[in-house]
Amino acid sequence: YPLLPFFSSMRKRALRKAAPVDEIIAQCMEAQRQIESQAGKRIDEYAQPTAHAMGEILCWMRGYKDKDLYRTGYMIGRWVYLMDGLDDFEKDVRRNEFNCFREACQTDTLTDALREEIRQTLNLTASQLWDAYQRLDIQGFEPILSNIFYRGLAEEETAVFQKKDSRRAGKTKRR
């Protein structure tokens, strides 16, 4: 459960401040636990509970439900879930723990083909996030949010892939 610590601490704060968020997070954690206990699902199925929770939380924070607001939150949650799976892939394999890519693709190796598939999935997710975000009427924090969504996601993706490349290069040199 890659986001369990994040959601657990968030849930404790939510209990004090916002009961509806607590319910969203509780449902997400249970749905995430259930789906991750099932072998051979698609990446989309594994990412769905976290993505849904972020969509619901974003709508709750704004005080209304809107399809573009929900979609923006959904894609944020999906992107974070997928990035966590990519970043933790080797560690999860070593520890024999759940990893969405390992499980969905039935592999313990982050091959070049799988890396490219993950990169395309992340980029598609970011593209859908940007599309929904552009339709929102954001006031106040628009420059900060735009910077995060337009530059931050790409920079984080690049950093994780570079970290993986440097680890792979180090293993190749030792052989």
Side-chain angles (χ1 to χ4, degrees), residues 77-99:
R78 176 183 160 85
W79 191 90
V80 168
Y81 183 85
L82 297 176
M83 278 301 296
D84 184 70
L86 171 63
D87 196 28
D88 292 348
F89 187 88
E90 291 87 357
K91 176 185 65 118
D92 291 340
V93 169
R94 271 193 322 275
R95 295 179 179 177
N96 199 31
E97 293 178 352
F98 177 84
N99 181 284

Side-chain angles (χ1 to χ4, degrees), residues 31-167:
Q32 199 68 63
R33 185 192 64 72
Q34 285 181 10
I35 195 71
E36 289 181 1
S37 71
Q38 300 174 31
K41 296 290 186 180
R42 294 183 345 261
I43 293 292
D44 292 340
E45 292 173 287
Y46 289 128
Q48 200 280 334
T50 298
H52 174 70
M54 290 303 291
E56 290 291 327
I57 290 169
L58 194 59
C59 289
W60 179 84
M61 289 171 63
R62 290 292 293 237
Y64 63 91
K65 189 142 186 178
D66 170 85
K67 69 178 181 143
D68 292 322
L69 186 60
Y70 174 82
R71 186 81 173 159
T72 298
Y74 185 96
M75 289 300 154
I76 292 168
R78 176 183 160 85
W79 191 90
V80 168
Y81 183 85
L82 297 176
M83 278 301 296
D84 184 70
L86 171 63
D87 196 28
D88 292 348
F89 187 88
E90 291 87 357
K91 176 185 65 118
D92 291 340
V93 169
R94 271 193 322 275
R95 295 179 179 177
N96 199 31
E97 293 178 352
F98 177 84
N99 181 284
C100 59
F101 297 112
R102 178 183 186 209
E103 197 61 47
C105 301
Q106 297 292 298
T107 185
D108 285 345
T109 306
L110 196 56
T111 64
D112 288 340
L114 180 54
R115 288 165 53 93
E116 184 56 30
E117 182 179 333
I118 293 170
R119 186 183 308 273
Q120 289 177 8
T121 301
L122 287 166
N123 290 341
L124 177 62
T125 300
S127 175
Q128 292 175 354
L129 165 58
W130 297 329
D131 185 53
Y133 172 72
Q134 288 177 332
R135 290 191 299 269
L136 295 176
D137 181 24
I138 301 293
Q139 298 169 358
F141 296 104
E142 191 276 330
I144 295 168
L145 292 173
S146 292
N147 187 45
I148 291 168
F149 295 151
Y150 295 122
R151 293 187 57 205
L153 298 181
E155 288 174 8
E156 181 62 20
E157 179 183 323
T158 299
V160 169
F161 274 107
Q162 284 176 344
K163 179 172 72 171
K164 297 207 168 298
D165 290 341
S166 67
R167 284 186 189 153

